[in-house]
């Protein structure tokens, strides 16, 4: 892994914090830890004669970015941004993309060289990664980007981003269908959607505005959640202590009072659309991005708070949204969702995928993934998630692929006596709907493929088998295909979605 630092000048002794500017890199005390990792100053603001610094920890995910005060800065070791990149008042240097751990390239390249595995014969291979899940470098997928110092405070809000997006689209001189806007709040974007560039439209506004979190806190049902990333909520929603979101229709309000007024009128107790799956308290609702545009847009806005790269706010028409909920006496509460293109030319079966933070690390992410492959099985094809995956998304997928494939391998019976069970890669794909590339990379990651007497064989060690059985035990909730009531539509045959 190579990190280019060519936009950074040599180490400079900094006599006081007053000489710090945006783009400087220095050790910063990370809140809640005893660590002082290298961080970049993204923005500086004065509030009541105190200076606040918005910092990005260079080797960590952006979700850890935060405002700190002077005391958290170690000014003995400051790297100033290089002067010849255009100067700090005008220079918007070209964002550099750095791929770490296959974050934006192929999904599951071997985590640490791996490969080969040595020509083990017989029944036991050597497994490199215990537990069957390859590890990512911490904060994998974090991209090192130079600062783009824009000192204009006017730009520091969502509306400016939207205006910029609109301008970009006008410049492209391409027209799309207008939004149906019930009222300005429900369709805050108020923009004419432009052409999609990819399934979920990767963000192109890699600037100071979108690099900074702009929402303090959201209240969603009984949860209060701290956002991780920027989301283009309208300006009047930014800089509030908290945004109050109706957990059923996802409309947002400025205060609890406003939300209470809304709840008195809002009759929804579940996401709009059809409930296509229910088992125990878990349900899935299918939402058409064209028919339920306001809901879909509000969902995308909410999701953007927790997804760094994927941004899709305007043109929800080409997508279906699958919302996973848990049911209690108050209603169906959103746990997570994934979006999916109605037609994908590249066999993507998921565009964006998110488990809401209060429900993370409880097995729901894998349940969402399992459901997406169940839909692909019903469609009779293989699929793969759209890239780039987030760091957490990649971990979940790798773990899901490993478990699913090992489950199949362990269930195989030998055909005859003294015969070893046989299966082809294609058969694994057919059984799981996992795309061939992902199957192969998973087998490689797990170091299961060996070349023996002229053919490739899969060897399972005791350790692999044991860790797999353990993993299966901990996965208590599973998707039951019998509870899915759904027929795939052939969107290609329709003139319009
Ligand atoms: Zn509502």
């Amino acid at each position: 892994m190579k990190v280019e630092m060519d936009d950074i000048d040599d180490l400079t002794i900094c006599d006081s914090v007053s000489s710090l500017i945006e783009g400087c890199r220095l050790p910063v005390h990370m809140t809640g830890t005893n660590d002082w990792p290298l961080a970049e100053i993204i923005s500086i603001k004065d509030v009541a004669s105190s200076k606040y610094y918005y910092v990005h920890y260079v080797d960590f995910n952006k979700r850890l970015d935060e405002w700190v005060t002077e005391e958290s800065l170690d000014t003995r070791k400051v790297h100033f941004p290089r002067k010849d990149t255009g100067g700090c008042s005008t220079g918007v240097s070209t964002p550099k993309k750095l791929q770490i751990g296959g974050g934006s390239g192929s999904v599951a390249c071997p985590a640490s060289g791996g490969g080969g595995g040595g020509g083990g014969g017989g029944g036991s291979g050597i497994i490199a990664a215990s537990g069957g899940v390859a590890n990512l470098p911490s904060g994998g997928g974090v991209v090192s980007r130079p600062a783009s110092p824009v000192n204009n405070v006017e730009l520091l809000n969502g509306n400016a981003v939207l205006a910029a997006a609109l301008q970009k689209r006008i410049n492209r001189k391409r027209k799309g269908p207008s939004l149906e806007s019930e009222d300005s709040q429900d369709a805050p974007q108020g923009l004419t959607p432009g052409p999609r560039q990819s399934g979920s439209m990767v963000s192109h506004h890699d600037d100071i505005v979108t690099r900074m979190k702009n929402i303090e806190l959201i209240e969603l049902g009984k949860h209060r959640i701290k956002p991780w990333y920027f989301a283009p909520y309208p300006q009047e929603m930014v800089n509030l202590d908290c945004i109050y979101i109706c957990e059923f229709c996802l409309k947002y309000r400025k205060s609890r009072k406003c939300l209470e007024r809304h709840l008195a009128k809002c009759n929804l107790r579940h996401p709009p659309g059809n409930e296509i799956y229910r088992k125990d308290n878990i349900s899935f609702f299918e939402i058409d991005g064209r028919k339920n545009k306001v809901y879909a847009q509000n969902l995308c806005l909410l999701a953007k708070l927790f997804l760094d790269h994927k941004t899709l706010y305007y043109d929800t028409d080409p997508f279906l949204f699958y919302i996973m909920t848990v049911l209690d006496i108050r209603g169906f509460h959103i746990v997570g969702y994934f979006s999916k293109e109605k037609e994908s030319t590249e066999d993507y079966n998921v565009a964006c995928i998110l488990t809401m933070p209060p429900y993370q690390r409880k097995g729901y992410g894998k349940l969402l993934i399992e459901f997406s492959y169940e839909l692909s099985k019903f469609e009779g094809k293989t699929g793969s998630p759209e890239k780039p995956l987030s760091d957490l998304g990649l971990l979940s997928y790798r773990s899901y692929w490993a478990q699913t494939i090992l489950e199949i391998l362990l269930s195989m019976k030998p055909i005859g006596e003294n015969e070893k069970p046989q299966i082809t890669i294609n058969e694994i794909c057919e059984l799981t709907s996992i795309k061939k590339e992902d199957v192969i990379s998973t087998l490689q990651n797990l170091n299961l493929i060996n070349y023996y007497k002229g053919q490739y064989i899969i060897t399972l060690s005791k350790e692999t088998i044991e860790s797999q059985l353990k993993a299966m035990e901990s996965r208590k909730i599973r998707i039951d295909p019998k509870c899915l009531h759904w027929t795939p539509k052939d969107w290609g045959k329709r003139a319009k979605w």
Side-chain angles (χ1 to χ4, degrees):
M1 163 174 44
K2 240 203 261 170
V3 180
E4 284 175 45
M5 301 270 281
D6 61 355
D7 55 315
I8 299 297
D9 212 349
D10 284 337
L11 191 66
T12 314
I13 302 297
C14 172
D15 45 3
S16 81
V17 286
S18 61
S19 55
L20 290 174
I21 53 169
E22 282 134 3
C24 282
R25 290 182 175 206
L26 72 171
V28 176
H29 177 230
M30 189 188 265
T31 307
T33 71
N34 294 322
D35 302 329
W36 291 75
L38 183 67
E40 178 180 330
I41 296 174
I42 307 294
S43 183
I44 302 173
K45 70 175 177 186
D46 286 297
V47 180
S49 73
S50 295
K51 267 192 166 28
Y52 290 85
Y53 303 83
Y54 192 81
V55 296
H56 166 64
Y57 299 100
V58 174
D59 288 324
F60 294 83
N61 190 283
K62 244 161 71 183
R63 76 176 76 91
L64 298 172
D65 293 4
E66 59 182 341
W67 286 102
V68 297
T69 52
E70 208 177 300
E71 296 80 66
S72 299
L73 307 175
D74 182 352
T75 50
R76 291 167 302 173
K77 304 167 191 166
V78 179
H79 296 269
F80 279 85
R82 208 155 77 182
K83 291 154 203 92
D84 62 11
T85 51
C88 66
S89 56
T90 53
V92 180
S93 30
T94 320
K96 258 193 290 294
K97 298 285 177 200
L98 219 173
Q99 295 184 7
I100 299 170
S104 57
S106 63
V107 209
C109 58
S112 55
S124 70
I126 298 157
I127 302 307
S130 68
V133 185
N135 292 318
L136 265 188
S138 66
V142 174
V143 174
S144 163
R145 303 178 193 108
S148 49
V150 178
N151 291 322
N152 190 347
V153 183
E154 286 294 297
L155 281 177
L156 294 177
N157 64 60
N159 283 2
V161 180
L162 298 171
L166 179 59
Q167 193 54 48
K168 238 177 199 176
R169 279 170 188 157
I170 290 169
N171 291 347
R172 270 194 228 119
K173 289 183 182 168
R174 287 170 75 171
K175 281 182 186 169
S178 304
L179 289 182
E180 317 148 0
S181 49
E182 289 170 27
D183 62 58
S184 65
Q185 258 242 310
D186 292 336
Q189 298 83 359
L191 293 176
T192 306
R196 264 180 323 121
Q197 278 134 25
S198 75
S200 60
M201 214 164 85
V202 172
S203 171
H204 296 287
H205 315 296
D206 190 18
D207 54 28
I208 192 164
V209 178
T210 57
R211 288 183 75 183
M212 291 168 59
K213 295 172 208 181
N214 56 340
I215 309 290
E216 276 297 312
L217 196 66
I218 61 162
E219 192 176 287
L220 180 71
K222 61 179 180 184
H223 306 288
R224 291 200 135 207
I225 315 168
K226 246 183 147 22
W228 295 354
Y229 307 111
F230 170 90
Y233 279 93
Q235 196 185 0
E236 61 265 30
M237 306 306 290
V238 178
N239 298 325
L240 298 173
D241 291 337
C242 184
I243 295 183
Y244 297 82
I245 300 175
C246 171
E247 60 170 328
F248 300 114
C249 72
L250 304 184
K251 285 178 184 169
Y252 46 86
R253 294 294 183 260
K254 280 181 190 175
S255 67
R256 183 171 283 127
K257 249 209 178 106
C258 292
L259 182 70
E260 279 165 7
R261 269 202 298 275
H262 166 81
L263 291 174
K265 293 182 294 181
C266 182
N267 296 320
L268 275 185
R269 288 298 172 268
H270 56 78
N274 296 326
E275 187 182 9
I276 57 169
Y277 178 94
R278 189 190 296 192
K279 185 171 188 188
D280 303 326
N281 66 340
I282 301 279
S283 293
F284 276 86
F285 291 80
E286 184 183 60
I287 276 108
D288 185 322
R290 187 181 68 84
K291 289 186 190 153
N292 289 105
K293 199 189 275 287
V294 171
Y295 180 88
Q297 288 174 334
N298 284 330
L299 175 64
C300 291
L301 263 181
L302 172 62
K304 181 63 194 67
L305 292 171
F306 307 101
L307 294 171
D308 188 7
H309 296 288
K310 305 285 184 73
T311 58
L312 158 79
Y313 318 118
Y314 319 106
D315 190 6
T316 57
D317 286 19
F319 291 89
L320 295 166
F321 296 82
Y322 295 91
I323 323 296
M324 181 165 73
T325 63
V326 289
L327 177 64
D328 68 12
I329 45 163
R330 293 182 302 119
F332 295 80
H333 310 279
I334 179 168
V335 167
Y337 87 105
F338 64 88
S339 56
K340 176 175 179 165
E341 282 177 288
K342 291 171 180 172
E343 286 179 277
S344 171
T345 47
E346 295 176 78
D347 291 335
Y348 292 135
N349 63 356
V350 163
C352 293
I353 183 162
L354 174 73
T355 308
M356 298 303 295
Y359 297 95
Q360 288 175 0
R361 309 179 71 86
K362 295 185 164 84
Y364 289 114
K366 241 171 244 170
L367 209 59
L368 278 172
I369 296 174
E370 190 177 2
F371 192 81
S372 74
Y373 282 106
E374 212 52 59
L375 295 184
S376 293
K377 286 183 201 170
F378 271 56
E379 291 171 328
K381 45 186 176 190
T382 60
S384 186
E386 192 184 310
K387 321 303 173 301
L389 284 166
S390 67
D391 57 341
L392 298 175
L394 182 60
L395 284 178
S396 292
Y397 265 98
R398 280 185 168 168
S399 167
Y400 174 82
W401 289 328
Q403 287 183 13
T404 307
I405 292 167
L406 283 170
E407 196 174 25
I408 298 235
L409 297 178
L410 289 176
S411 69
M412 285 173 49
K413 304 271 179 296
I415 311 156
E417 266 177 61
N418 301 324
E419 292 262 338
K420 294 227 185 286
Q422 288 201 5
I423 191 164
T424 64
I425 301 273
N426 283 340
E427 283 166 340
I428 296 177
C429 297
E430 276 168 34
L431 288 166
T432 61
S433 275
I434 299 173
K435 210 178 176 185
K436 199 169 184 174
E437 290 84 343
D438 299 332
V439 171
I440 293 171
S441 69
T442 302
L443 292 172
Q444 284 171 340
N445 267 341
L446 292 171
N447 230 348
L448 297 183
I449 301 182
N450 286 303
Y451 194 62
Y452 180 67
K453 288 191 179 167
Q455 59 178 341
Y456 288 97
I457 58 159
I458 290 174
T459 50
L460 293 173
S461 71
K462 248 191 196 150
E463 292 92 314
T464 314
I465 295 170
E466 272 163 19
S467 71
Q468 167 63 10
L469 293 176
K470 228 183 210 167
M472 297 313 304
E473 249 172 59
S474 68
R475 245 175 97 187
K476 290 199 179 77
I477 357 170
R478 296 290 294 264
I479 294 298
D480 183 349
K482 291 195 294 297
C483 300
L484 174 59
H485 303 286
W486 183 72
T487 17
K489 289 188 187 82
D490 188 352
W491 297 95
K493 279 190 182 157
R494 296 167 177 231
K496 203 178 181 313
W497 294 308

